[in-house]
Amino acid sequence: MKPRWPMIALCISVLVASAPSAAFPTKDEYVVIADNNQKSTVPVDTTEKPRAPIKLTEMRVRSEVALRYARTSVLTHVHNPDARPQEVTFRMLLPDTAFISGFTMILSGKSYKAYVKEKEEAKQIYTQAVSQGLGAAHVATKARDSNHFTVSTNVEGNTTAVFDLRYEEFLVRRNGLYNHAINLHPGSFVPKMEVVVHIKESQKITALRVPEVRTGNEVDATEKDAQNSKAVIQKSTNEKEATVTFTPDLTEQRRLAQIYAEKTKQKSSSEKYIGYSSTEEENDEDATVLGQFVVQYDVERTNNGEILVNDGYFVHFMAPTSLPPLSKYVVFVLDTSGSMMGRKVEQLRSAMEAILSDLNPNDYFSIVEFNSDVKVHELKEADEEPAPAYSHYSYFNTRNTPVTLVPPSPATAENIAKAKVIVSRLNASGGTNIYSALEVAFNLVRKGTRNENETDVSSTVATTTDGVSTTAATTKKTEKIEKELEPIVIFLTDGDPTVGETSTARILSFITEKNSGDKRASLYSLAFGEDADRAFLRKLSLRNEGFMRHIYEAADAALQLHDFYRQVSSPLLSHVQFLYPEKQIKEGSLSRNKFRTINAGSEVAIVGQVADDATEITPQVNAFCGNDDGIGRKRYEVSQKVIVPKTKDEHLPLERLWAYLTIKQLLDKRDAADDSKDDSAEKKALAIALKYEFVTPLTSLVVVKPEETNAVDVESVDNLHFSNPLRTVAFFKSSSSRLQPGGMMDYSSPGLPSPYYSGGGGGAGFAGPPGPYSPYYGFETTRTTTPIILTTYATTTAQLESYHLEFFEWTSSLLNPFKDTLAFNDNGTEVILKLSKDDDPPKADGGDTECSNSTSAVGASDSAASVCVYLTRCHAARSITADDYQKSYCVVDNKYAGVCCARADVDKTP
């Protein structure tokens, strides 16, 4: 980051209220602007006096996690105590793997509800906005692996604005645990703050931890980390459900903010992801960051996997746990070019020392060092005097010049010790010869994955059918195999190719061709720092059975490298294929079902649609696993049979899980492909995103006026200016390298359990009147954005009064005044409930009936005595939220909007 960017980040909010001036957008950033088209009806005091600051009064986060699929809602209330309108900015850090699935604002009794539209649909209105001189710039970054969402709007005097942002994500298993992270960046201390995470799984929850609130920039917490003493954990009697509640009061919030500030100050000033300026005058009320709230858990499992079927969809989980790891051959390809000089190369040495210690006794390894030249290290170098600095074994013109390659080294204690001596001598200099380094690596793989000593080997087949395991031995045969190794290439670089072949397109083509056939290896790319070409490295890994991971240039980079290695260091199954009979699955609905490896601590999930006439699903899993003696491998087969249930379980979100994973994998397929005109994967992903209202790089979050269908989208805003502070401005930052609203930088791949992403978190933040210390979180230049467009959805106070809902302001976000209904989405199903304008509220013919969902009743604590009544009859329903209503609604007389209400609150006089 250049020195001037922190100042730009601090001053950017001033632009929103100032006259036209130069904007500061990034090259790949998108911004959207739309008109509120409303005038204040409140008399404005024009006397020059300080404004009463905007206050964040409430923040409630609710996460429902079912079958690793998390649906999160962040509801925030912001009050403007001044008589004059003031601008408020809602900011949120989303998990990098999340899709936004809904956004609503309630301002002065009017609801602004967002919808998802195709990007191209919106260009006309955007063009019109540009012609009127509208524009904006936004400079912001993120915590690691997260995406920044920002909406700025005016709040009338003496009113409260309500923001409700919803997003969904599939929790990925890493190192044996699912991590659900929520960033708490409120921007100020909040009188009412509550985070509730409810987990419901089909198997017993075997591990559940809530570590102390973290900064969001560490590697995953372990059992050795301190636990959150303020988090309350409640488990069900069947051990398949758990609820975690965190309600930090103001004292606890101040403690967390202080800890976060202290940890941030300890980091190097060169770290480019730091969220805040170190300016001493910074106001903690404007830039309060509490940290990242994390829930970690795991479930009971077997090697056979688990299949769940519901309402025409299925999910097949596989996470083997008790298999011996396959023996592997790891080729470490390490960049020691001049840009690695200093702390980077020191951290590389430290990380490699830890990684080498983690090699298994039956593994083999090679170390390839590259800068302008390439060197394959021999372990005998450790016994010799160190070579002169930067003296390398040159490997020029690698495609035409044959080279004698050093055989792989077995991971004995003696060899590991020698390798540590070699990596301790690594020094940085020269350019970056990426192509030659990778060609050497794959030449090593081709030569070194098999030991050429002849030996008698017994071939065995391990078979599991409905949980019963059998092992059949075959006759002995002589093979040129003593140990077949799983090939892995770990490639680390911090820059672009500058020596030899410098065209990334040609490198992609050459290396993918080189890494083909039976000895195809998994290539894991590590982008070290901000200067590495992550888009290129991501595509390179996607094409070669691996994934890309960003290693942040920070004090803990060595820990990041080691943590990454642990995730891929123990392959348990290889050449994994999930087979389903054609007549049981709808054509074209099956997600990715072939994987190069499944690693210890991870999990794969295959989803699909069940054929209409199918009564059962009988999949078969074929793979290879390791022998118990660590030598060779054997076939692994699992056959199962699952009956298709006739009833629907409302708590299993399999349809949305199918949509989520299918979109991600289709966009991975698009990103990995050659630059061609085949856009079938993109078209299919777009159709699914529109149907399920997910914000992705292909879609925009849009709000339309009643009886209008024009959507708004944007182009790049490199040269726009902002000229009207009374407009609503919305931003959503998204990565072009992944498919998501939060664009993924997910580094998932065809070669790993999918999805296989690093985690992130979501959290909200607010800024008051524009000033020099707005809490932006940094600057990231390699992301693109997915826009959000907001225009007025006019729900007036008069309309609410016509339905006798003037005291139920939250209904504005659900109200359709043209059809006299409340409408919302409940687990993928549209719910439409009738409203009445009669003075006497509707009642059921047989009288008030007891609620079936009494656990979600509103009102008095005695939820057992709760009944279903029309909305206006429940006094307690006045103070709930739209999110609360969707959990407690019921139907009166088969059509009217009801609520499950405690009897004590029914027909209660105010």
Side-chain angles (χ1 to χ4, degrees), residues 206 388 501 537 906:
T206 57
E501 179 59 74
L537 295 176
V906 175

Side-chain angles (χ1 to χ4, degrees), residues 83 214 454 534 601 648 869 905:
R214 303 163 67 75
E454 291 189 355
R534 283 180 276 176
K648 177 181 178 180
V869 299
D905 284 289

Side-chain angles (χ1 to χ4, degrees), residues 1 94 97 125 184 230 266 441 537 604 670 748 769 786 797 869:
M1 183 187 295
L94 297 171
T97 57
I125 295 180
L184 301 178
K230 301 293 184 180
Q266 291 171 6
L537 295 176
V604 296
R670 179 199 67 171
S748 85
T786 299
T797 302
V869 299

Side-chain angles (χ1 to χ4, degrees), residues 32-299:
V32 238
I33 303 165
D35 195 350
N36 270 358
N37 196 26
Q38 59 175 313
K39 297 181 179 180
S40 173
T41 58
V42 179
V44 178
D45 183 0
T46 58
T47 306
E48 290 295 332
K49 60 182 179 181
R51 294 176 184 264
I54 291 284
K55 292 188 178 297
L56 174 58
T57 59
E58 185 175 350
M59 178 178 175
R60 297 169 61 187
V61 183
R62 296 286 188 277
S63 282
E64 289 289 335
V65 183
L67 302 179
R68 300 69 145 163
Y69 192 67
R71 289 170 288 181
T72 302
S73 170
V74 180
L75 190 72
T76 49
H77 295 247
V78 186
H79 182 65
N80 177 12
D82 200 274
R84 295 161 289 183
Q86 295 193 74
E87 182 178 79
V88 62
T89 298
F90 171 69
R91 297 188 178 94
M92 187 164 186
L93 289 176
L94 297 171
D96 202 25
T97 57
F99 284 146
I100 285 181
S101 55
F103 177 68
T104 303
M105 295 192 305
I106 300 176
L107 306 170
S108 302
K110 294 183 179 181
S111 178
Y112 300 72
K113 185 177 180 180
Y115 298 89
V116 176
K117 300 289 183 181
E118 185 179 2
K119 285 186 174 183
E120 293 302 317
E121 188 180 350
K123 289 187 177 179
Q124 284 186 343
I125 295 180
Y126 171 75
T127 302
Q128 182 180 358
V130 172
S131 68
Q132 295 175 354
L134 303 179
H138 172 54
V139 178
T141 57
K142 50 181 183 46
R144 290 180 184 171
D145 308 311
S146 61
N147 298 281
H148 200 137
F149 171 92
T150 302
V151 173
S152 299
T153 190
N154 280 306
V155 177
E156 297 242 0
N158 299 312
T159 64
T160 297
V162 180
F163 300 86
D164 185 6
L165 182 64
R166 298 173 295 283
Y167 60 88
E168 302 178 22
E169 61 176 326
F170 182 68
L171 304 182
V172 177
R173 191 168 183 258
R174 296 191 304 270
N175 296 324
L177 290 172
Y178 305 103
N179 286 260
H180 183 38
I182 299 168
N183 280 334
L184 301 178
H185 293 196
S188 65
F189 298 121
V190 189
K192 294 181 181 179
M193 176 179 284
E194 182 181 57
V195 181
V196 177
V197 177
H198 177 245
I199 302 169
K200 185 173 184 177
E201 290 288 346
S202 58
Q203 301 297 323
K204 290 183 178 179
I205 298 173
T206 57
L208 179 59
R209 299 201 298 258
V210 184
E212 178 65 281
V213 174
R214 303 163 67 75
T215 67
N217 287 319
E218 307 99 332
V219 297
D220 291 342
T222 68
E223 66 277 3
K224 296 180 182 179
D225 287 281
Q227 298 299 294
N228 191 331
S229 61
K230 301 293 184 180
V232 177
I233 300 176
Q234 293 178 312
K235 298 181 181 179
S236 65
T237 55
N238 65 6
E239 301 181 53
K240 295 181 181 180
E241 283 189 68
T243 301
V244 179
T245 305
F246 180 55
T247 54
D249 57 19
L250 293 175
T251 300
E252 176 67 4
Q253 291 177 44
R254 290 188 179 94
R255 185 186 75 87
L256 294 175
Q258 182 177 0
I259 292 173
Y260 183 94
E262 290 174 354
K263 287 184 177 179
T264 301
K265 290 177 182 178
Q266 291 171 6
K267 297 183 181 295
S268 167
S269 59
S270 66
E271 295 177 18
K272 301 183 180 182
Y273 60 83
I274 288 178
Y276 296 97
S277 165
S278 59
T279 307
E280 294 181 0
E281 309 96 311
E282 188 167 54
N283 189 330
D284 64 352
E285 287 290 328
D286 286 338
T288 303
V289 177
L290 307 184
Q292 192 175 75
F293 181 76
V294 179
V295 176
Q296 298 178 313
Y297 77 96
D298 197 20
V299 298

